Amino acid sequence: GGLIDTPEGDWYAYLFRDFGSVGRIPYLVPVSWEEGWPLLGIDDAVPDELNFPASRGLSPGIVASDDFKRRRGEPDLPLVWQWNHNPVNDYWSVNRRKGFLSLTTSRVDKDVLEARNTLTQRTFGPESAATTKIDISKMKNGDCAGLIALQRQYGFVGVKMENGQKTVVMVNAHSEEPVVIETASINTNKVHFRIDCDFSDRTDKAYFYYSLDGKNWLQIGDTLQMAYTLPHFMGYRFGLFNYATKTPGGSVAFEYFKLDDKIL
């Protein structure tokens, strides 16, 4: 971490704390000075809350929900978002279809960890949930798209298209090899997905859901026991993905990404 000061002359230490599968939690700790030395905390303790005004703007914090609607002059993606790899910019857009994040496959990949243009935000504790709605009408056979809890031992809920049939699928890679746990046939071009993450007391469990109307949620698959692993060297992240296993060129459109601090 490091020491930072505000224009008003207040000092803070900006630090990280390892906390299991959620990764490193950022902390601001008040600092006072005594005989030229920084003293961290208040009465030798870190306060649970600080009296800061709420931020405003497109990205008021380190995470944020997103409806993918952009006003003129706004960045295509605020800084709450990060790509899993260097993006291929010709194959994603928030302007091609207004109010949607479009992801188009550019190559064939064997699994989601190799997929390009997976857009992610960090999870947070003690509880966090992400929901999204996807237009899947332009998928190609062999495509897989959806919402992932991303780390080496990942889990995702998504849609896979085979022989013209779209199927909801939950995949669990806790063993570091992806296993299809459950599938459900659907006959629609739009579907909602949700992942709930419970990090309280290092429970580190993720739960997966889908919905056809955005109101009635059906749990699918099993529980992912999340684990922080060194190959990825990061906490779990929510991710929006689309990858091809047969033919590139298929696309999906995400209508929204919503974060909650409570799970079902």
Side-chain angles (χ1 to χ4, degrees):
L3 292 171
I4 59 175
D5 62 327
T6 70
E8 293 75 27
D10 298 319
W11 284 83
Y12 297 89
Y14 185 60
L15 305 172
F16 290 97
R17 177 189 180 191
D18 288 331
F19 204 82
S21 66
V22 78
R24 294 174 174 177
I25 302 173
Y27 280 81
L28 278 178
V29 182
V31 170
S32 59
W33 292 87
E34 200 169 290
E35 297 181 357
W37 290 94
L39 300 180
L40 276 64
I42 298 175
D43 297 327
D44 298 323
V46 177
D48 289 330
E49 296 182 358
L50 295 175
N51 187 24
F52 285 141
S55 298
R56 297 179 179 179
L58 184 61
S59 302
I62 61 173
V63 295
S65 299
D66 198 336
D67 61 8
F68 301 118
K69 297 176 182 176
R70 300 291 182 260
R71 300 182 182 89
R72 185 180 299 274
E74 287 182 340
D76 285 351
L77 292 175
L79 292 176
V80 294
W81 291 108
Q82 293 89 43
W83 296 103
N84 65 325
H85 297 287
N86 290 335
V88 184
N89 290 323
D90 290 341
Y91 292 91
W92 72 270
S93 177
V94 292
N95 298 307
R96 187 175 301 128
R97 183 177 176 185
K98 296 297 184 182
F100 290 82
L101 167 70
S102 298
L103 296 181
T104 303
T105 61
S106 61
R107 66 182 189 184
V108 170
D109 292 302
K110 70 175 183 178
D111 60 32
V112 69
L113 292 184
E114 291 188 357
R116 300 292 295 270
N117 290 358
T118 296
L119 191 59
T120 77
Q121 285 197 39
R122 68 171 299 154
T123 59
F124 55 92
E127 296 178 352
S128 55
T131 57
T132 190
K133 180 181 179 182
I134 314 180
D135 184 332
I136 54 177
S137 60
K138 295 183 179 180
M139 295 180 73
K140 289 188 173 184
N141 284 325
D143 288 359
C144 187
L147 179 65
I148 187 172
L150 178 62
Q151 229 270 2
R152 178 65 183 89
Q153 298 177 12
Y154 62 85
F156 74 69
V157 58
V159 171
K160 190 169 185 178
M161 184 167 173
E162 292 287 353
N163 300 317
Q165 175 63 46
K166 299 182 181 76
T167 303
V168 174
V169 59
M170 186 271 166
V171 172
N172 189 321
H174 177 71
S175 65
E176 298 198 1
E177 291 295 331
V179 177
V180 176
I181 304 299
E182 186 178 352
T183 63
S185 295
I186 57 172
N187 185 21
T188 179
N189 283 325
K190 294 183 180 180
V191 61
H192 303 253
F193 294 126
R194 178 183 177 104
I195 299 178
D196 284 359
C197 294
D198 184 1
F199 299 107
S200 57
D201 299 320
R202 302 203 181 193
T203 300
D204 292 352
K205 295 184 183 298
Y207 309 91
F208 301 82
Y209 305 85
Y210 75 98
S211 172
L212 300 182
D213 59 10
K215 298 177 181 179
N216 300 297
W217 292 96
L218 300 173
Q219 191 166 0
I220 186 170
D222 59 7
T223 301
L224 171 67
Q225 183 61 59
M226 295 181 285
Y228 184 95
T229 66
L230 292 180
H232 277 209
F233 203 66
M234 65 177 186
Y236 275 78
R237 305 184 69 83
F238 295 121
L240 307 177
F241 69 89
N242 181 30
Y243 70 95
T245 63
K246 293 183 177 179
T247 305
S251 66
V252 295
F254 294 86
E255 187 170 335
Y256 70 84
F257 175 83
K258 184 177 183 295
L259 287 172
D260 292 295
D261 58 5
K262 301 292 182 185
I263 64 176
L264 294 177

